[in-house]
Amino acid sequence: MNSEKETFQEKNFISKSLFYRLSQFVGFLLGARFFVAILLTFALYVSTFFLFNQEESFRNFVFDFKVHGIIFCTVLSILSGGIINQFYDFEKDHIVKPFRTRIQSFIKQKYFLYAYLALTVISLGVASFISYRVLIFFIIYQFFMWFYSHKLSRILILNNLTFVSLTLYPFFGMMVYYETFSRKVLLMAIFLFLILLCIDIVKDTLTKSVDKTFGYVTIPNYFKSKTTKIIIISLLMITMAVSMKLIAKTGISGFMAYYFASGLFIMISCIYLLLNSSKKSKFFTLNILRFWVFVGIIAMLLNGIEGKL
């Protein structure tokens, strides 16, 4: 009888231990924004090969280890940036994202900091092997990710502009690396900047009261709701104008032409939702815009494949 009881206790201990380790692993992935990093990596490869690097063959691209090294450093930098951001936002996330913080509580914050330092050092170490310019590029990138989490995320307007700029910074680096400067690329960058800016401001409307409590001065908790709504709708209308400019003046074709044309209806739908001030309509707007960014990556991939065939 005792042996059966001991066996049951051992099995129970093992199952709890496995659950604990799994929870730690999932908590780390969520804390490091792992899934965001995966999406950005995919977007970087797609944009690099099909937009910035249109002259090089696929074989040469595959064996261009310098490019893979830069993207690897970018991924590590994004992961470390996610960790330091959750470290500074930990108290706020307890209210805004209770499930995620509950999972993350399985890991002590000091281990997140150790991981942040390790990822930062590895990223800069690999960058130094590529070239001193790449090293400087990532020193600037990582400094501003830390500075954003430490200070800029609490400053009105600068928080939104810095967040979006840091999201696009690796793409700007690839554009400079391949010296791909054209009206089409510039307008596409402006389009993406505007849509990401809209996403960030709409996200702030959903955490308005919490941000105010923890000292984050955002557009929704600084201005009146009506003013915030006007700002977001104005940005969406400018995004529509950029889309029309891309279609009419750059000779864009294929899947990307369909994407920007369809985007006009997406923006109109978002404006319609925002005219309704309910939390549910803001939530739908946020996820529609996020989904549309993902659709843009797929459209670029399909457009590039079509162009290469």
Side-chain angles (χ1 to χ4, degrees), residues 69-136:
I70 292 171
I71 293 177
F72 176 71
C73 292
T74 301
V75 175
L76 295 186
S77 299
I78 292 167
L79 292 173
S80 65
I83 289 171
I84 200 65
N85 184 251
Q86 73 86 29
F87 179 80
Y88 281 102
D89 289 351
F90 189 71
E91 290 183 352
K92 172 187 163 184
D93 287 344
H94 261 294
I95 300 171
V96 179
K97 302 166 184 174
F99 174 75
R100 196 178 80 181
T101 49
R102 173 62 181 161
I103 295 294
Q104 287 172 220
S105 66
F106 285 96
I107 306 177
K108 293 180 181 178
Q109 286 296 296
K110 68 177 182 179
Y111 293 119
F112 276 114
L113 287 178
Y114 293 156
Y116 166 72
L117 291 172
L119 290 168
T120 300
V121 170
I122 294 169
S123 174
L124 295 179
V126 173
S128 66
F129 278 107
I130 299 171
S131 75
Y132 77 91
R133 287 193 180 94
V134 174
L135 176 62
I136 292 169

Side-chain angles (χ1 to χ4, degrees), residues 153-215:
S153 62
R154 298 173 183 269
I155 301 175
L156 179 66
I157 298 175
L158 270 178
N159 45 21
N160 301 114
L161 294 178
T162 307
F163 175 79
V164 176
S165 298
L166 287 172
T167 304
L168 295 178
Y169 187 78
F171 298 92
F172 172 74
M174 282 300 182
M175 185 178 72
V176 172
Y177 178 75
Y178 283 107
E179 298 181 356
T180 311
F181 304 103
S182 66
R183 179 191 284 186
K184 182 176 78 172
V185 171
L186 176 63
L187 287 172
M188 288 176 73
I190 293 171
F191 172 87
L192 188 56
F193 183 89
L194 289 170
I195 201 167
L196 289 174
L197 186 58
C198 289
I199 288 170
D200 202 43
I201 298 173
V202 173
K203 178 172 64 67
D204 288 340
T205 64
L206 296 171
T207 58
K208 179 180 175 180
S209 57
V210 179
D211 285 333
K212 194 170 186 178
T213 301
F214 288 99

